[in-house]
Amino acid sequence: MLKLQRWHMALLLGIFVMVLSSVAFAYEAITGPTGVLYYNQEKSYQGYTLYDPTVACKTTYLIDMRGNIVHTWTSEYTAGLHSVLLPNGHLLRAGVLPRKKEVGYCGIGGAGGILEEFDWNGKKVWEYKMFIPNKEIQHHTFCRMPNGNTMILGWETLTNNEARKLGRSPLTIPTKPVVSNGIPHDRFWVDFVREINPEGKTVWEWHIKDHIGTGPKQFDINYTLPMPMGEMYATYDWSHFNTVNYIPETDTVVLNSRNLSEFYLINHKTGEMEYRWGNPSAWDPNAKKPGYWDDGSQQMFGNHCATPLKNGHILVFDNGSERPQDRRSRAIEVDPKTGKIVWEFRTRHTNSFNSHRQGAVQRLKNGNTLITSTHGGHIFEVNPEGRLVWEFVNPISAGKTKAVFHNIDGLPFEAHIDGMANMVHRAYRYGEDYPAFYGKTLTPQGYIAGDDAPRFFRDYHAGAGFTAPAAGAAPAKAPAAAVPAEDDSDGPTMNAY
C-alpha cells in the first residue's frame, strides 16, 4: 500500500510540475490537490488570508501564506456569504438564518439575514438581524463605514400589484408561485440598502423601487433575463445586487447588479445614480443587444464585487457566465472617466479560472490583485503583469477537510452550475502590518488541508528546480480532525495515494 501511495504521489507531483508555472495557465483534470499550490515569496503580498467556506461550514479561517491556520472564529450559522476583519481585530460576518420552505420566505441564492461581530477571542459583541418574512432580508454583503456605521444590502418585497403599478409588464408577472431552493415565491424581492449606526438605528436608506424608469439614471423594471436561465431570474429575482461599497472621499455608494450586469455610483446625499457601466442594453434603446456569438454593447455578464480603488477606478469580478463570444471569467479595472478597461486578468485556459456565479477581487497594497473564483473555492494572487504569485484551493468541502478533490466534490449541475462543495464567496488578504494583528499571537496551528497532506508549493521547489524563491513550511501542530462524511472518495488524508 505504501508503494502505491508513493507511486500515485510521484505521478501527481510530476503532472503538476509539468503544467504549473508563474504564467497563469493550466489544464483540465477530474482529480486535483487542495491547499497552497504555488507561492512566490518574493513577489506576493505578505500577510494573512481570511475566508469562509460557504457550504455546510460555520467556521471562518485565517491562514498564513503557506496555508497554515493561524486563527478561526465559529458562528452558529453558515456564512451568508462572507466576513471581513476589522482594524480592531473584530470579525464582522454575515450569516444564514433558518428559513421555512413556505410562501413569504426568500429562497434566492445569497439570502442571509444576520450580521454578527465577534472579538478576536470569538465572543459575539454585536449583531443585527434583517429578516422579516414577506418583508425583507439581508443578502450577500455589507460594508463597515469609516464613521462606524454599517451599510447592509437587502431585499424587500413587492407584490405583483405593486410591481404592475411601477410599470412591470403583466406578461412577465407569474400567475402561480415560482419555486427556488424549495421555497415558493409569490412576489418580487427587489434590492435596497440600509445604513445603520452602531446602536442598530436606521440613519439612511436607498430603494431601487424609488428609481424605476427608462431613463439613463433609472432602472428599467422590464429589463429581464431570458426564461431559459430560470424562472426566478426572469421574474421575482429581477435586479439581484451583490455588492455595496462606500467611497468616503466623494460620499458615494457603489452598487453592482448581477442580472443587469452593471455597477453603479450612487450619490449618498441625493440617492441619484451618477454613473453606470457594463451593459448599455439594460437602459439604452439604441444599444446593441447581445446575440449568437455576439456580445453586442454589453461588456460584463453576471458580474460581482465592484470595488472602488484609491485611483478612482473600479475593480470588478466579471463572471462572463452568459457571454456569447467568450464564456470565461476575468478581473477587470475600469476607469469611470473614460469608460475604458485599463487592466484585465484572465487565464489562457477557461478551466483554470471560471466561476459561473459569485466571485471577488481585492487590490493589494503592492499592486497585486487577489481573486476569489467562488465556484472552485479557488483563491489566487496575480501581479500587475498577470503573473501568478500565489495560488490556493480551499480544502474544506461541505465541512470536511480533503487534500484531494474528485468528481464527487462537485455539486449536482442542476443545483449549482459548475459549483464545487468548497465554494468561497470572498477572500481578503490582510498585510502583516494590519492593525488587527497588533499584539496578537499568530502561531501556525496546522496545515489547512491536514498535516499529512502534501504541500505542493514546497515540493515543487524541492524537486522541480523552479526559478521562483523557495518558500519553506513552518512546523505546525495538526488541527482537530473534521467529522468524516460517508462517501467513496478520499477523506482528510491521502489514503488512496
Side-chain angles (χ1 to χ4, degrees):
M1 183 64 179
L2 186 59
K3 291 182 179 179
L4 184 62
Q5 288 179 344
R6 287 176 177 170
W7 183 86
H8 278 84
M9 277 297 298
L11 177 62
L12 193 59
L13 281 171
I15 293 173
F16 271 75
V17 164
M18 288 187 290
V19 300
L20 286 180
S21 76
S22 61
V23 177
F25 74 97
Y27 64 103
E28 181 173 326
I30 294 175
T31 301
T34 67
V36 178
L37 303 184
Y38 184 75
Y39 176 26
N40 185 321
Q41 189 170 8
E42 180 182 348
K43 295 183 178 181
S44 56
Y45 179 65
Q46 300 305 301
Y48 301 90
T49 304
L50 182 82
Y51 78 96
D52 296 86
T54 57
V55 181
C57 185
K58 300 176 180 179
T59 301
T60 301
Y61 293 90
L62 185 68
I63 61 172
D64 65 17
M65 299 298 292
R66 296 172 174 84
N68 295 306
I69 300 170
V70 297
H71 202 70
T72 60
W73 293 262
T74 301
S75 170
E76 60 182 298
Y77 309 110
T78 55
L81 290 164
H82 71 94
S83 301
V84 297
L85 185 61
L86 302 175
N88 64 357
H90 289 190
L91 183 83
L92 187 58
R93 183 183 190 271
V96 178
L97 293 176
R99 287 165 286 169
K100 297 179 181 178
K101 294 186 181 298
E102 58 185 51
V103 170
Y105 289 81
C106 182
I108 302 172
I114 187 171
L115 294 185
E116 299 177 292
E117 184 174 335
F118 300 92
D119 67 15
W120 183 262
N121 296 318
K123 178 183 178 182
K124 187 190 293 190
V125 297
W126 181 85
E127 74 171 28
Y128 181 83
K129 289 184 179 180
M130 183 194 288
F131 181 49
I132 303 175
N134 269 324
K135 184 179 180 181
E136 64 182 27
I137 189 168
Q138 175 272 335
H139 69 91
H140 282 90
T141 191
F142 52 86
C143 173
R144 178 59 57 86
M145 303 169 69
N147 65 357
N149 289 355
T150 305
M151 280 191 175
I152 306 171
L153 189 60
W155 279 315
E156 61 183 335
T157 58
L158 277 181
T159 66
N160 291 349
N161 190 47
E162 289 171 332
R164 193 178 294 110
K165 289 180 179 179
L166 287 172
R168 180 78 177 203
S169 169
L171 299 177
T172 60
I173 297 177
T175 57
K176 60 182 180 179
V178 179
V179 178
S180 176
N181 290 322
I183 298 177
H185 300 77
D186 66 350
R187 62 197 63 204
F188 290 80
W189 290 86
V190 299
D191 287 282
F192 77 103
V193 180
R194 175 176 296 161
E195 180 184 342
I196 60 171
N197 64 19
E199 291 71 44
K201 179 182 178 181
T202 299
V203 297
W204 181 84
E205 285 189 343
W206 180 93
H207 301 261
I208 193 174
K209 67 182 181 182
D210 296 333
H211 302 273
I212 286 176
T214 57
K217 294 186 177 183
Q218 296 176 305
F219 298 88
D220 186 354
I221 198 171
N222 288 305
Y223 178 86
T224 61
L225 296 177
M227 189 65 73
M229 285 185 63
E231 194 171 359
M232 282 295 291
Y233 288 92
T235 57
Y236 290 142
D237 182 15
W238 162 56
S239 51
H240 200 103
F241 287 9
N242 51 46
T243 301
V244 58
N245 272 311
Y246 179 68
I247 307 174
E249 292 81 4
T250 57
D251 198 21
T252 300
V253 180
V254 182
L255 301 174
N256 185 88
S257 170
R258 182 198 68 188
N259 288 8
L260 278 64
S261 292
E262 297 181 299
F263 69 78
Y264 312 97
L265 303 182
I266 307 295
N267 187 306
H268 187 219
K269 289 185 176 67
T270 67
E272 183 178 89
M273 182 198 303
E274 295 186 331
Y275 186 83
R276 69 195 308 168
W277 190 90
N279 180 18
S281 65
W283 57 274
D284 184 355
N286 298 315
K288 184 180 180 183
K289 297 183 182 298
Y292 188 82
W293 202 254
D294 182 0
D295 293 349
S297 300
Q298 187 168 340
Q299 302 216 49
M300 297 192 297
F301 291 79
N303 41 289
H304 286 74
C305 197
T307 304
L309 303 179
K310 293 296 184 181
N311 61 4
H313 297 176
I314 304 294
L315 188 65
V316 190
F317 187 101
D318 178 15
N319 295 73
S321 47
E322 280 76 34
R323 186 185 305 279
Q325 293 178 210
D326 190 10
R327 187 185 176 275
R328 64 163 72 230
S329 296
R330 59 180 181 161
I332 58 174
E333 180 180 339
V334 179
D335 181 355
K337 290 183 179 179
T338 64
K340 302 294 184 182
I341 296 174
V342 298
W343 181 85
E344 173 180 349
F345 174 80
R346 58 182 180 177
T347 53
R348 297 179 185 179
H349 196 301
T350 58
N351 278 7
S352 304
F353 165 37
N354 195 18
S355 187
H356 186 73
R357 295 283 181 259
Q358 305 182 53
V361 285
Q362 178 193 13
R363 179 60 48 81
L364 304 174
K365 283 187 176 181
N366 67 348
N368 290 355
T369 302
L370 188 73
I371 300 173
T372 306
S373 184
T374 295
H375 274 201
H378 184 200
I379 306 166
F380 58 96
E381 178 186 350
V382 296
N383 68 12
E385 292 73 41
R387 306 284 290 190
L388 181 71
V389 297
W390 186 84
E391 184 173 21
F392 173 80
V393 173
N394 170 37
I396 314 298
S397 177
K400 178 182 177 183
T401 305
K402 293 188 173 185
V404 171
F405 282 164
H406 304 281
N407 187 48
I408 196 171
D409 295 295
L411 298 174
F413 191 80
E414 61 275 11
H416 222 306
I417 297 175
D418 286 346
M420 297 285 289
N422 71 329
M423 291 195 299
V424 175
H425 181 70
R426 288 190 192 181
Y428 288 101
R429 173 77 52 75
Y430 297 94
E432 295 173 334
D433 60 349
Y434 188 59
F437 303 137
Y438 294 172
K440 303 295 192 304
T441 300
L442 297 172
T443 304
Q445 301 168 16
Y447 189 52
I448 185 73
D451 275 345
D452 55 349
R455 289 163 171 77
F456 287 93
F457 71 93
R458 178 194 64 194
D459 294 338
Y460 292 151
H461 299 305
F466 271 15
T467 57
K477 184 175 70 175
V483 178
E486 295 279 340
D487 65 37
D488 60 357
S489 66
D490 290 339
T493 64
M494 295 285 291
N495 291 333
Y497 290 86

